Amino acid sequence: MEKINIGIIQRFIIWRENEIQEKHFILMLSFLVGLFTAFAALILKYLIHFIQNFLTDNFDSTEANYLYLVYPVVGIFLAGLFVRNIVKDDISHGVTKILYAISRRQGRIKRHNIWSSTIASAITIGFGGSVGAEAPIVLTGSAIGSNLGSLFKMEQRTLMLLVGCGAAGAISGIFKAPIAGLVFTIEVLMIDLTMSSLLPLLITSVTAATVSYVVTGQEAMFKFHMDQPFLLERIPYVILLGIFCGLVSLYFTRAMNVVENFYARFKGVYSKLVLGGVMLSILIFLFPPLYGEGYDTIELLLNGISNMEWDTVMNNSLFYGYGNLLLVYLLLIVLFKVFASAATNGGGGCGGIFAPSLFLGCIAGFIFSHFSNELGIFPGLPEKNFALMGMAGVMSGVMHAPLTGVFLIAELTGGYDLFLPLMIVAVSSYLTIIVFEPHSIYSMRLAKKGELLTHHKDKAVLTLMKMENVVEKDFVTVHPEMDLGELVKAISTSHRNVFPVTDKNGVLLGIVLLDDIRNIMFRQELYHRFTVNKLMTSVPARLFDTDSMEQVMKTFDDTKAWNLPVVDRDSRYLGFVSKSKIFNSYRQVLVHFSED
């Protein structure tokens, strides 16, 4: 059966190459990607809500519920069991995985990611894991695009585009936000925007959003009714909110890295489960809004108009009935949300930080405005509007994506009347965090390793170049005990003017330059008087085979050298890299990278 299927697909590929232009076929594939990712997003949302409602529908809102101590541990245990025994691969940090696939110029994502992230995140979040479903569904969508392109033997450049289409479709489908899906792909995944990439991304985004509208109705994901219009005299307060959101984003990013690194120290699966499960369960027991994605809390803060309604955020907890502690309660949630999210993933669960950033932003905006109103600092600030703007602010800061924050919140809530303040908050937050963090929470892991593709064309091209493609190995090696006569014989067999000197283990000791021995190399009476050990010089610098191309170019600039040796971590000689080779490779990649 498999041979028959392969034969059918191969015949279709041959027919398609003859009958359908590639650019038209890419548009067809982008439509299919939008269709499939929308259904994947709808399935994931249904599974999460089904599990969550099944587990928590009978909870008493007037007192603490001790099952909060049990459900999260069970969830991350089941998710970890599923990942270890069925998937048998790491499926965490979904957006980072996509960035890596794009930065390696491969666009290939493993087939199991089509379903594995969906199932693992549904279990994790349904049982209370304090993370979001968006990063897993983005990885699912990108895997759909990648594997659909691979099925029809599309080239790597097209695979990269289809990966972006899958991500755009996932965001569009789960949020009913087609513009945000498109902008997210360009701004966060850094897909190069050209006319050949814009149309497929648009088709996928619109298709996914349309399917979601047809299945779930035309209402925005979060209901929002603006009771007070935006006043221009409030612009200074909006800027201050943006700065506050930027600082919250900085705290979230830094704390997330610290806590994740702490969990990474533990090698045992069950030690991570116990530590993460205990931390998560206690936090959710004390602060039930940390359960799951937290979208119920966002709905409450966006639609509440009085203290009586806002106080219901403390339902199901030990704080029930203490309305005077509302701001303290929300501030503690902001502080502990990062620990709950990190404990979820660190303990073995699966989820992203998309929903946590929306959740934190909404609470941060509400705290800012409610605190100002209570103390009379900036009286009359509408809490609903500022909660909405806070969502855009924290998302922009955490993801370093102000456009995504603006368009996503506008489409999520229908709050287009607040477009100007949304932009002000998003930009203020972004400008605040980049002072401290040059990379987003998604990209900083790759940036540290020099594997991040960026919108900076020169840096992007250097990222796409690989060290193994520019190392030249046709240099004749010599050894320190060889005399001048043997060296001259070696020179006669080479067309290079640089000769690496290695010991018997292949460790690089230095180099011999032809110019340095030119005046004695024809004097035969000296052939047995000089050895390579006396004639060699040290190298201006050594490149390592793990260096990024950006590091390589910086080393060339610092040393002013034209050729530099490459060694491994044990200093064993591997070859040379020359500036001319890098420039030739750079031009080839640039031409391919810039093709429209």
Side-chain angles (χ1 to χ4, degrees):
M1 178 62 72
E2 188 175 348
K3 290 182 179 179
I4 294 174
N5 290 338
I6 291 174
I8 292 172
I9 293 171
Q10 191 58 48
R11 286 197 294 272
F12 175 79
I13 292 172
I14 295 170
W15 174 83
R16 194 277 302 171
E17 289 174 348
N18 293 328
E19 301 295 333
I20 305 176
Q21 291 185 30
E22 183 167 337
K23 62 181 180 180
H24 295 153
F25 188 63
I26 291 173
L27 299 183
M28 296 177 189
L29 289 179
S30 64
F31 170 76
L32 292 176
V33 171
L35 208 61
F36 295 148
T37 51
F39 282 114
L42 292 170
I43 291 170
L44 177 55
K45 286 174 70 174
Y46 170 78
L47 289 174
I48 291 172
H49 293 152
F50 174 79
I51 297 172
Q52 188 169 336
N53 292 335
F54 179 78
L55 296 176
T56 61
D57 260 359
N58 296 323
F59 279 8
D60 186 348
S61 63
T62 63
E63 60 183 28
N65 293 277
Y66 290 93
L67 284 175
Y68 278 137
L69 293 170
V70 179
Y71 289 158
V73 179
V74 174
I76 58 179
F77 172 73
L78 292 176
L81 210 62
F82 168 76
V83 172
R84 288 192 305 276
N85 297 318
I86 298 177
V87 180
K88 298 179 181 178
D89 190 19
D90 178 23
I91 58 173
S92 62
H93 300 309
V95 176
T96 302
K97 279 183 168 28
I98 300 167
L99 283 169
Y100 181 76
I102 293 172
S103 70
R104 292 297 86 194
R105 204 180 169 195
Q106 296 170 345
R108 297 190 183 276
I109 299 176
K110 293 178 181 178
R111 188 172 298 173
H112 70 71
N113 288 121
I114 294 174
W115 51 269
S116 58
S117 299
T118 301
I119 296 174
S121 60
I123 296 171
T124 300
I125 300 167
F127 276 84
S130 195
V131 286
E134 293 76 24
I137 199 62
V138 166
L139 180 57
T140 297
S142 294
I144 290 172
S146 174
N147 285 280
L148 195 61
S150 297
L151 180 66
F152 294 108
K153 304 293 187 290
M154 306 305 290
E155 65 173 0
Q156 287 184 345
R157 193 163 180 269
T158 304
L159 287 183
M160 289 171 63
L161 175 58
L162 291 174
V163 165
C165 286
I171 296 296
S172 302
I174 203 165
F175 286 132
K176 295 197 278 193
I179 300 176
L182 173 66
V183 173
F184 171 83
T185 304
I186 295 167
E187 195 172 31
V188 177
L189 300 186
M190 290 170 277
I191 294 291
D192 204 33
L193 184 60
T194 63
M195 286 309 297
S196 61
S197 64
L198 179 60
L199 194 53
L201 291 171
L202 273 173
I203 290 174
T204 302
S205 297
V206 171
T207 302
T210 302
V211 170
S212 289
Y213 275 118
V214 170
V215 175
T216 63
Q218 296 185 29
E219 288 188 352
M221 184 171 170
F222 295 121
K223 297 175 183 176
F224 175 78
H225 181 267
M226 189 170 65
D227 298 326
Q228 297 185 44
F230 175 67
L231 302 176
L232 291 177
E233 54 262 31
R234 289 185 180 142
I235 287 180
Y237 312 139
V238 173
I239 295 174
L240 288 176
L241 172 64
I243 295 171
F244 178 62
C245 288
L247 295 175
V248 171
S249 304
L250 177 65
Y251 164 73
F252 183 78
T253 302
R254 293 269 177 91
M256 179 66 76
N257 280 327
V258 170
V259 180
E260 282 187 348
N261 291 335
F262 172 74
Y263 277 98
R265 296 177 190 170
F266 294 87
K267 302 303 179 185
V269 172
Y270 292 104
S271 58
K272 288 183 178 181
L273 171 66
V274 171
L275 185 63
V278 169
M279 180 184 289
L280 179 62
S281 296
I282 292 174
L283 287 174
I284 290 177
F285 175 72
L286 294 174
F287 308 102
L290 295 177
Y291 188 103
E293 297 168 298
Y295 286 162
D296 292 341
T297 303
I298 293 176
E299 286 270 13
L300 173 63
L301 297 180
L302 289 181
N303 294 299
I305 55 175
S306 66
N307 285 334
M308 184 178 295
E309 292 182 0
W310 294 323
D311 289 348
T312 59
V313 77
M314 294 187 285
N315 286 359
N316 300 311
S317 75
L318 297 171
F319 292 82
Y320 178 81
Y322 295 92
N324 57 318
L325 296 177
L326 176 63
L327 280 177
V328 175
Y329 184 78
L330 292 177
L331 190 59
L332 290 173
I333 287 177
V334 171
L335 291 174
F336 288 123
K337 176 64 175 178
V338 63
F339 293 95
S341 297
T344 303
N345 288 331
C350 176
I353 52 89
F354 222 112
S357 65
L358 291 175
F359 176 81
L360 278 181
C362 186
I363 294 178
F366 179 86
I367 289 174
F368 180 89
S369 54
H370 195 66
F371 182 76
S372 299
N373 291 336
E374 289 289 308
L375 296 186
I377 302 173
F378 312 125
L381 299 183
E383 283 93 347
K384 292 171 60 174
N385 294 6
F386 274 70
L388 181 76
M389 291 184 279
M391 292 167 71
V394 173
M395 172 163 282
S396 302
V398 170
M399 298 185 182
H400 283 221
L403 287 176
T404 301
V406 171
F407 284 107
L408 179 63
I409 304 310
E411 290 184 293
L412 265 180
T413 60
Y416 293 100
D417 292 333
L418 293 174
F419 213 78
L420 177 61
L422 283 174
M423 293 176 68
I424 294 172
V425 170
V427 171
S428 301
S429 175
Y430 174 68
L431 292 177
T432 300
I433 195 171
I434 59 171
V435 173
F436 306 97
E437 287 288 353
H439 298 288
S440 73
I441 197 169
Y442 291 135
S443 60
M444 56 177 52
R445 301 178 189 93
L446 296 181
K448 288 177 182 176
K449 296 188 287 185
E451 295 171 340
L452 178 65
L453 194 70
T454 71
H455 287 303
H456 190 294
K457 187 74 76 175
D458 288 338
K459 289 185 178 180
V461 172
L462 286 176
T463 301
L464 292 173
M465 293 169 60
K466 297 180 181 180
M467 174 70 90
E468 60 262 31
N469 294 336
V470 295
V471 175
E472 299 175 80
K473 300 184 178 182
D474 58 343
F475 288 76
V476 176
T477 58
V478 294
H479 306 292
E481 66 275 5
M482 293 171 59
D483 61 24
L484 180 57
E486 294 173 302
L487 177 60
V488 171
K489 287 182 182 179
I491 292 173
S492 67
T493 63
S494 172
H495 61 279
R496 299 286 192 171
N497 60 358
V498 180
F499 300 87
V501 182
T502 63
D503 65 10
K504 60 182 179 180
N505 296 318
V507 174
L508 181 69
L509 303 176
I511 56 173
V512 174
L513 298 174
L514 185 60
D515 288 343
D516 290 346
I517 63 168
R518 198 182 301 276
N519 60 332
I520 62 171
M521 62 183 291
F522 298 113
R523 297 178 59 183
Q524 295 186 9
E525 70 274 13
L526 301 178
Y527 278 11
H528 300 296
R529 287 181 55 186
F530 290 98
T531 61
V532 169
N533 188 47
K534 294 181 178 179
L535 299 172
M536 71 179 184
T537 59
S538 60
V539 294
R542 296 166 188 241
L543 302 174
F544 291 96
D545 56 344
T546 54
D547 286 350
S548 68
M549 292 309 298
E550 194 171 349
Q551 290 172 307
V552 170
M553 290 307 298
K554 185 178 185 304
T555 305
F556 270 112
D557 287 340
D558 292 342
T559 59
K560 309 302 180 187
W562 195 256
N563 296 284
L564 287 175
V566 181
V567 297
D568 61 17
R569 286 297 168 186
D570 296 322
S571 294
R572 287 191 293 265
Y573 167 76
L574 300 176
F576 269 82
V577 171
S578 66
K579 273 188 179 180
S580 58
K581 180 70 173 179
I582 291 178
F583 291 152
N584 288 335
S585 298
Y586 178 90
R587 281 191 291 269
Q588 292 172 6
V589 175
L590 183 62
V591 168
H592 184 76
F593 186 71
S594 304
E595 282 178 353
D596 197 12

